[in-house]
Amino acid sequence: MTFITLLLCLGLERFLHRGNFLARFNWFEQYVSKINDMTKNIIWAQQYFIPLILVVLPIVIPVAVIYFLSAAFIQGLLAFLIGSVVLFYCLGPINIFDTKQIHQPIFWQANESLFAVIFWMALLGPIAALVYRLVERSAHIHASYPALGKSAQQVRALLDWLPVRLFSILFALAGNFVQTSQFCLDYLLRDVSFNRELIEKSGRIALGLDETTEFTDENYGSALKLIDRDLILFLITVFAVTLGVLL
């Protein structure tokens, strides 16, 4: 089911998500503001990872309960539908395939919008994908909510560590293998502070470009095609693992 869910949601994301018409997570900052208003005068609620927990758990717990209870109905079909809705909603919210604008950090944005979400979906299911998106959205509003932003950025960096390395290695398979794989090996065990640098530079090297090259109209399309090939390789990997488990 995981493979089918990923294939379905990525297909819908590609063909239906035009112009960000779904406006996913536009409500999130207002939700965080309400949580902050209720807890800002409580000292312990502003310490360590508690601000992030207070934001994430009220959403994750009811969704998780509904999802796991639904597994008992219609031979798991309801859980499949709910999991697909959760994953689809967690993709984005930036449409990286909108070619009206050149995104210089395109590979980092691809990780943020797609790679990390589908990685955690494939590994731990749709609830993990939801947790990643909530943490990522919390990290984006760090300026307005410093306590929340600090903890969210730390957790997000940890959650990005594995998918960034996996998809950087897939860049090697989808592009310039020798140079990209050598570069990835140098970065493989480095700490989370190198996440963005690794995926941006490995993507450019896979295209045969200098690791600091700025994208233009001429080479931006190649970057999007590389991301497409990366997604296909990931889906093939998930399918192979799923088939191996079934056999």
Side-chain angles (χ1 to χ4, degrees):
M1 284 294 189
T2 299
F3 172 76
I4 297 173
T5 302
L6 288 170
L7 189 62
L8 173 65
C9 291
L10 287 172
L12 289 173
E13 172 72 8
R14 177 62 56 86
F15 295 110
L16 295 182
H17 188 196
R18 298 301 185 204
N20 202 23
F21 74 93
L22 289 175
R24 287 174 278 198
F25 287 94
N26 281 9
W27 52 268
F28 186 70
E29 189 163 359
Q30 186 176 1
Y31 161 75
V32 170
S33 177
K34 290 182 179 179
I35 297 291
N36 184 69
D37 288 342
M38 290 187 292
T39 61
K40 63 183 178 182
N41 295 323
I42 304 174
I43 296 176
W44 61 265
Q46 303 300 318
Q47 297 177 346
Y48 304 107
F49 295 97
I50 294 175
L52 181 62
I53 293 171
L54 292 175
V55 166
V56 170
L57 286 188
I59 298 174
V60 169
I61 289 177
V63 174
V65 169
I66 294 170
Y67 173 71
F68 289 115
L69 289 178
S70 67
F73 294 92
I74 323 177
Q75 297 183 334
L77 179 60
L78 186 57
F80 165 72
L81 293 175
I82 292 174
S84 298
V85 170
V86 171
L87 175 61
F88 179 69
Y89 192 76
C90 289
L91 295 175
I94 296 173
N95 181 12
I96 62 170
F97 294 101
D98 184 357
T99 55
K100 295 178 182 178
Q101 178 183 359
I102 294 178
H103 302 277
Q104 291 301 332
I106 183 60
F107 300 118
W108 179 247
Q109 289 188 347
N111 178 72
E112 183 177 274
S113 300
L114 299 173
F115 293 162
V117 180
I118 64 174
F119 172 85
W120 289 111
M121 167 65 193
L123 190 65
L124 296 175
I127 304 305
L130 176 60
V131 169
Y132 176 83
R133 178 56 68 219
L134 293 173
V135 170
E136 180 270 331
R137 289 289 91 190
S138 297
H140 266 278
I141 56 176
H142 61 88
S144 301
Y145 308 95
L148 170 65
K150 181 180 178 180
S151 57
Q153 286 178 324
Q154 291 173 342
V155 174
R156 187 227 166 134
L158 292 172
L159 293 176
D160 278 330
W161 194 88
L162 274 175
V164 160
R165 278 147 185 80
L166 172 63
F167 282 95
S168 294
I169 292 170
L170 292 179
F171 281 152
L173 296 174
N176 189 330
F177 177 77
V178 175
Q179 292 186 12
T180 310
S181 59
Q182 289 176 345
F183 177 81
C184 289
L185 286 174
D186 290 338
Y187 275 75
L188 194 60
L189 298 179
R190 296 193 184 187
D191 63 48
V192 296
S193 64
F194 291 94
N195 287 346
R196 182 165 181 162
E197 182 179 347
L198 169 56
I199 199 166
E200 281 296 330
K201 290 184 176 181
S202 62
R204 284 164 169 77
I205 294 171
L207 290 172
L209 303 173
D210 183 82
E211 62 186 39
T212 58
T213 298
E214 292 285 312
F215 285 113
T216 63
D217 291 333
E218 288 73 28
N219 55 25
Y220 190 64
S222 298
L224 296 179
K225 290 177 181 177
L226 178 65
I227 292 169
D228 265 338
R229 295 197 296 273
D230 234 28
L231 292 171
I232 291 170
L233 286 172
F234 181 74
L235 288 173
I236 292 171
T237 302
V238 172
F239 177 76
V241 171
T242 303
L243 189 63
V245 171
L246 293 175
L247 294 178

